[in-house]
Amino acid sequence: MTVDKGFGSMRTVGEELTKQGVVGVMIVWADNNGIPRSRIVPVGRLESVAERGIGITPLFAVFDSHDGITFEHKGLSTPSGDIRLIPEGDRLVRLAGQPGFAWAPGRQVAADGSAWPYDQRGVLERQVARAEGLGLSFLAGYELEFQLTWPEQGGDKISPVHEGPSYGPARTLAVNGFAEQLLRDLDLNGVGVNQFHGEYGPGQFELSIVPADPVTAADHQLLARQTIHAAARAHDLRASFAPLVEHGQVGNGWHLHTSIARTGVNLLSGGDGAHGMTVDGGAYLAGLLRDLSAVVAITAPSLSSLQRIRPGYWSGAYTFWGVENREASLRLVPSTAFLGTEHANIELKPSDASANPYLALAVVIAAGLAGIEDGLIPPEPVQEDPGTWTEEQRTERGIHPLPRTVDEQLDALLNNQRIRTALGDELADAFRAVRTSDAAWAAEHDVADVIKRHRWLY
Ligand code: GLU
Ligand code: MG
């Protein structure tokens, strides 16, 4: 349940949690692989930990997807050092699915309490502040696709909980208790839900989270993961958030919806620019499109992401936008008089659970704001699937495949000064080192193995 922060200091919050039976506070952050990492402190230590944090190694910034530590980034090239992990007190919730624990997102700061350049949440806060300086604000919402399986019996095979028709109501029958607990616990944990349904693939489901300001949206995405995992475990199921669970199957997208507003008015609707957008709304979209390859190197960064992103799978494979085009990497969801102006948003399809949710939003905002600052105008939307066109046809319309290898991803990312600036040089280079380490690991494994080894990471 959400904790009433109105009633005083962290000491009182700790006392109240103790009365409720909470024994530990779980402080969670996501690393550069999108993998949640955590520390638990006894609830009696909450007051001091909220003030000074707990010590963790700075090397979490250079952990790769398989818990290897790379020393290839200059700033973090020895095992020495310590930083502080501080729980965000005003985001503390008691976990409905693990009632002995409270949960809070963590902020990483240097040992002297100053800003730590590798703190992903801080990177997003900087972009939000930049937008505020321009009089702009955002709403963001993640859509989480995942696959539910029966517990592994050993071996590599997974057993999806259903093979039934896509989107069929019978899909929830096998997991009725899970579905019920999930919706109840998300509500108790303060994560608003737009929809929940059986999705397209075997055992696949989708949960879409109510939009919020960007930092809250990223916090909620992390909290939703813990809530889904807990509900699954309670019903003897396992949830895979991996971008691709099985070779040749549909993937799990964690599509990212954003809208941008000035003085509370959505710039993606009610305007006389293209497709009902205002001129600045169109520039936001055009900014995203201009930097799409670099953005996607952050929003779908893993080896599993590279396998998920394919034409014809609604995962976004090319650099183009469309109006309600589900094959488009950037899908404009326009408003209508019936739906109201708040409805309009842009969905980024090449986004998944292997993205750090804070960094993903930070680079989306950075690219979009740059589009506004540069007064960009979006090209005409594409309403077809350019994957069915010839390469000449695509080139004629300025449409290119998104990066297909780690080298292409890093090329797009590191050669994009706007996105690098948003990340900061230290974090950008640590991110590079981690991706390079992942690629070296993959060179020793075949594709099916790579996919399998990402199944349970997120
Ligand atoms: N599963 C698809 C993906 O990999 C998305 C399907 C949809 O648009 O809901 O992103
Ligand atoms: Mg979906």
Side-chain angles (χ1 to χ4, degrees):
M1 73 203 57
T2 47
V3 178
D4 180 2
K5 290 92 184 180
F7 58 69
S9 67
M10 274 299 133
R11 178 195 298 233
T12 358
V13 171
E15 284 165 3
E16 182 57 30
L17 288 171
T18 304
K19 266 192 234 148
Q20 293 174 14
V22 170
V23 294
V25 178
M26 188 186 295
I27 313 167
V28 179
W29 74 103
D31 73 7
N32 287 329
N33 312 295
I35 298 175
R37 310 274 182 186
S38 68
R39 288 294 175 91
I40 291 174
V41 294
V43 69
R45 290 198 63 214
L46 178 60
E47 190 185 9
S48 86
V49 169
E51 211 172 301
R52 284 183 282 278
I54 50 166
I56 60 169
T57 169
L59 295 176
F60 279 116
V62 287
F63 264 57
D64 70 16
S65 294
H66 301 90
D67 294 344
I69 297 171
T70 171
F71 289 105
E72 296 301 314
H73 161 61
K74 260 211 203 86
L76 297 168
S77 59
T78 76
S80 305
D82 203 47
I83 58 163
R84 308 301 292 179
L85 176 70
I86 301 182
E88 278 295 322
D90 62 349
R91 295 289 157 98
L92 203 63
V93 295
R94 181 184 178 200
L95 287 172
Q98 294 171 270
F101 294 95
W103 179 101
R107 201 155 44 86
Q108 302 158 73
V109 299
D112 63 2
S114 62
W116 167 247
Y118 305 90
D119 175 43
Q120 296 90 351
R121 204 169 183 271
V123 170
L124 175 55
E125 284 170 341
R126 277 208 305 275
Q127 289 307 314
V128 170
R130 177 178 162 218
E132 271 169 17
L134 298 167
L136 297 166
S137 62
F138 291 85
L139 279 177
Y142 276 98
E143 248 175 51
L144 320 183
E145 290 180 339
F146 56 95
Q147 264 146 313
L148 280 180
T149 71
W150 304 117
E152 277 178 296
Q153 302 300 324
D156 295 339
K157 279 200 75 61
I158 47 165
S159 330
V161 293
H162 61 64
E163 300 276 354
S166 303
Y167 310 101
R171 288 203 149 195
T172 50
L173 281 177
V175 293
N176 191 59
F178 160 81
E180 200 180 311
Q181 177 174 339
L182 180 63
L183 292 188
R184 188 183 306 119
D185 288 357
L186 286 164
D187 185 46
L188 289 168
N189 288 345
V191 179
V193 171
N194 263 343
Q195 292 190 36
F196 173 66
H197 64 267
E199 247 285 342
Y200 190 87
Q204 196 177 34
F205 290 86
E206 176 177 317
L207 177 84
S208 61
I209 302 177
V210 169
D213 70 87
V215 177
T216 304
D219 286 346
H220 280 178
Q221 195 245 47
L222 273 188
L223 179 54
R225 298 181 191 218
Q226 188 72 12
T227 313
I228 296 168
H229 280 314
R233 291 277 175 170
H235 295 275
D236 210 15
L237 300 164
R238 292 193 77 184
S240 174
F241 301 153
L244 194 60
V245 173
E246 195 93 80
H247 203 28
Q249 263 189 20
V250 299
N252 291 318
W254 285 26
H255 303 167
L256 177 50
H257 293 255
T258 53
S259 63
I260 177 168
R262 182 173 283 121
T263 54
V265 179
N266 189 351
L267 299 178
L268 299 175
S269 65
D272 38 23
H275 304 277
M277 293 181 283
T278 65
V279 170
D280 279 346
Y284 173 66
L285 171 63
L288 283 175
L289 186 60
R290 175 175 63 179
D291 289 335
L292 193 62
S293 294
V295 165
V296 171
I298 296 290
T299 61
S302 66
L303 299 160
S304 189
S305 311
L306 290 170
Q307 297 299 323
R308 165 185 163 245
I309 292 177
R310 293 152 293 169
Y313 282 81
W314 292 7
S315 57
Y318 291 99
T319 55
F320 72 100
W321 78 281
V323 182
E324 287 291 18
N325 182 348
R326 284 183 165 75
E327 189 56 34
S329 292
L330 293 165
R331 165 187 168 218
L332 173 69
V333 181
S335 66
T336 64
F338 178 60
L339 296 167
T341 53
E342 287 321 297
H343 185 76
N345 67 81
I346 293 167
E347 178 185 36
L348 175 71
K349 292 267 194 185
S351 167
D352 62 50
S354 64
N356 178 293
Y358 303 96
L359 294 184
L361 268 161
V363 295
V364 161
I365 292 173
L369 289 182
I372 293 178
E373 284 169 338
D374 293 344
L376 299 187
I377 297 169
E380 280 304 301
V382 174
Q383 298 305 102
E384 295 158 50
D385 175 2
T388 63
W389 299 356
T390 63
E391 202 169 322
E392 292 72 53
Q393 283 173 305
R394 285 193 291 267
T395 311
E396 213 171 280
R397 295 284 299 265
I399 296 174
H400 307 286
L402 285 167
R404 286 173 292 203
T405 63
V406 173
D407 282 346
E408 286 178 14
Q409 282 177 319
L410 290 178
D411 213 38
L413 181 64
L414 300 174
N415 288 313
N416 187 311
Q417 199 49 52
R418 285 179 291 275
I419 300 303
R420 282 184 68 150
T421 304
L423 297 173
D425 283 340
E426 290 101 326
L427 195 148
D429 196 60
F431 194 88
R432 173 205 58 78
V434 167
R435 299 281 71 81
T436 306
S437 180
D438 272 5
W441 172 89
E444 310 285 311
H445 296 78
D446 66 34
V447 175
D449 201 28
V450 167
I451 291 168
K452 202 175 63 208
R453 295 280 292 272
H454 283 75
R455 260 182 207 153
W456 310 112
L457 298 181
Y458 310 105

